[in-house]
Amino acid sequence: MFGTLQPLKGKNAIVTGAGRGIGRAIAVGLAEAGANLILVSRTNIELEETQSLVQEKEVKCWVMPTDLTKTEEITTLFNRIDEEVGPVDVLINNAGMNKRSEAFNVTTEEWDLIMDTNVKSCFLMAQKAGERMKKRGGGKIINISSVAGHVALRTGVVYGMTKAALIQMTKVLALEWGKHNINVNAIGPWYFPTPLTEKLLNDADYVNDILEVTPLKRIGKLEELVSPTVFLCTEGADYITGQTLFVDGGMTINGF
């Protein structure tokens, strides 16, 4: 993707939800840009699969399985990073989940799980990383939101709420931490081929609905999501903060 250019060479980047899908693709993209990786998710075997792809790029890589819904495990994670890795330059807050329940059917257990995974863990990760970036003199935080945080979709009300919360969190943290040279931005994807979307994208009628409201009339390619995410981590994006970049083929100019 970057050829001989490595704009993030020597930087240390945390990627949550790095075991598969978007997180794995972003991790590999960051490695191609020269970044060392701290891979985080609950499933060790998936992280090791990502690690094998990252190490092909000749960067350092640490696998750190963590349940991000548990505050004490986030504390343990950052203690390990301090001891084994060193400074944190980049955080990609990608970990997330969804249960597609209609509003009448949402249980308190579903609410807690989605909120803890998609919002609470992202804030706590940003808080811990931000503390270290402040001491270091700056850094980059990218929150993976969704078009569902901007327009109403058939994705479930709680999921949509969490992704909207990430967009607002991005703005407030950017405002508060700009004086510390910490850039906080978000990415808002539409549909990309991942394990989480595989079933939906195999439904021809559903795909037709998607394409009808997507001006570019196609599903995105993962590399088209990775490139803008990596860009926001580089010096080229030093004057960009508090923004949500929708990588959506134009979908959010239409609605769904």
Side-chain angles (χ1 to χ4, degrees):
M1 185 183 299
F2 296 96
T4 58
L5 297 176
Q6 290 193 310
L8 297 176
K9 187 173 180 61
K11 302 289 187 181
N12 295 327
I14 303 170
V15 181
T16 68
R20 55 182 177 165
I22 289 173
R24 175 176 288 181
I26 291 173
V28 173
L30 289 169
E32 289 179 353
N36 302 315
L37 274 297
I38 302 104
L39 305 178
V40 179
S41 81
R42 285 181 293 186
T43 308
N44 189 68
I45 189 169
E46 291 182 344
L47 291 180
E48 290 178 344
E49 291 170 356
T50 303
Q51 183 184 40
S52 67
L53 298 173
V54 165
Q55 288 179 328
E56 292 176 2
K57 312 302 177 184
E58 299 183 351
V59 299
K60 297 177 182 177
C61 182
W62 295 264
V63 166
M64 299 193 181
T66 306
D67 184 347
L68 295 175
T69 65
K70 298 179 180 178
T71 303
E72 63 274 15
E73 291 202 24
I74 292 177
T75 299
T76 299
L77 168 66
F78 276 92
N79 288 340
R80 282 193 64 189
I81 292 171
D82 292 341
E83 294 172 4
E84 300 176 28
V85 181
V88 174
D89 301 291
V90 172
L91 167 64
I92 308 294
N93 256 331
N94 169 71
M97 59 87 61
N98 188 20
K99 289 184 177 293
R100 293 172 175 266
S101 299
E102 293 185 357
F104 285 125
N105 300 324
V106 172
T107 66
T108 55
E109 289 79 14
E110 285 181 8
W111 171 277
D112 289 342
L113 179 60
I114 300 171
M115 284 289 179
D116 285 352
T117 304
N118 294 7
V119 179
K120 182 180 177 181
S121 73
C122 289
F123 173 74
L124 293 177
M125 288 293 296
Q127 186 184 56
K128 293 289 188 183
E131 289 170 350
R132 287 153 178 81
M133 292 173 181
K134 176 183 175 182
K135 293 177 182 178
R136 184 167 171 75
K140 302 290 177 69
I141 297 173
I142 314 297
N143 300 311
I144 305 301
S145 179
S146 167
V147 298
H150 182 67
V151 298
L153 301 178
R154 295 176 292 182
T155 54
V157 62
V158 183
Y159 178 82
M161 292 167 69
T162 64
K163 293 305 183 177
L166 285 185
I167 292 172
Q168 187 66 11
M169 184 183 85
T170 295
K171 294 177 183 179
V172 177
L173 293 184
L175 179 63
E176 187 172 327
W177 292 351
K179 61 187 176 185
H180 303 304
N181 200 34
I182 300 172
N183 298 68
V184 187
N185 290 292
I187 293 285
W190 184 216
Y191 275 93
F192 289 84
T194 71
L196 291 178
T197 62
E198 182 178 10
K199 183 177 179 179
L200 292 171
L201 296 183
N202 283 332
D203 182 333
D205 291 336
Y206 195 87
V207 171
N208 286 336
D209 286 345
I210 292 170
L211 299 185
E212 186 177 341
V213 295
T214 305
L216 291 185
K217 299 302 179 187
R218 63 179 176 83
I219 303 299
K221 303 172 185 177
L222 276 175
E223 57 266 30
E224 295 171 324
L225 181 63
V226 171
S227 291
T229 305
V230 173
F231 166 69
L232 288 175
C233 300
T234 69
E235 290 183 359
D238 279 354
Y239 203 55
I240 301 172
T241 197
Q243 305 303 310
T244 297
L245 175 58
F246 291 102
V247 186
D248 64 356
M251 178 270 174
T252 49
I253 63 176
N254 266 335
F256 191 22

